[in-house]
Amino acid sequence: MYVILLGAPGSGKGTQAKQLVEKYGIPQISTGDILRKALKDGTELGKEAKKFMDAGELVTDALILGIIEERLKVDDCKNGAIFDGFPRTIQQADGMESMLKKTGANIAFCVSLEVPDENIITRLTARRLCSKCGQDYNTVSNPPPADGLCTKCGGEIIQRSDDQEATIRNRLEVYHRQTSPLQDYYSGRGLLRIVDGDGSPQEIFEKLCRLFDDYNKKS
Ligand code: AMP
């Protein structure tokens, strides 16, 4: 079961993907997380991606498709995966389709999490995360403890460098220009499912579970 979570940065894809992984036992593939790890580890990939990420621009399709090709070879992906933040361009979607075809797999569906831009800006400027385990915090709805250390693992809680307002606005502009055309792409294939992403994480999770369960019943 290969599912795509589409949606603007900050629409809740990562939060939902983590819960879906626990419930359905298929891995989350977040190209953003993979790139941030490469950056932290100081690899060539990280160095190459850094300038794009800092500016809120997209990393090249060739680089991203290389990452996905490698990731899909890992055994845990053989029964499916939840793609979070990938694909982000039509070229990436085409590349992924041909990769999956080679193994006889298909996309089950693509969920578009819809959240108005102004709410995204409010959410992302308040977003914080643990630099060690990735646990999410939010200065408004889920404030980090006063000592600034993660309640789960004790790691340092930080703000992502691309969660500054000017970069967020650019990431949103990039999303509307380069990624949102994927809605028509997947709608044309009968695979698009629209979900209002403006409720509580639990409400949204329940809507997503319904889509997963319906798909599992039919297949
Ligand atoms: P994210 O955590 O998904 O918001 O990604 C953070 C940044 O990583 C983006 O602003 C891009 O610079 C880069 N990135 C992540 N995924 C992709 C992708 N599929 N295609 C191109 N760039 C990406």
Side-chain angles (χ1 to χ4, degrees), residues 8-10 13 30-33 35-36 49-61 64-65 68 84-89 92 124 127 160 162-163 167 171 174 179:
K13 302 184 299 293
S30 157
T31 39
D33 285 351
L35 292 170
R36 274 184 292 280
K50 184 175 173 10
K51 55 181 183 294
F52 297 104
M53 294 173 79
D54 284 347
E57 297 289 332
L58 294 187
V59 172
T60 61
D61 290 330
I64 295 289
L65 285 168
I68 293 292
D84 156 16
F86 171 86
R88 265 169 143 112
T89 63
Q92 291 181 17
L124 286 187
R127 179 161 79 173
R160 270 172 55 169
D162 59 354
D163 278 348
T167 317
R171 286 161 69 204
V174 166
T179 306

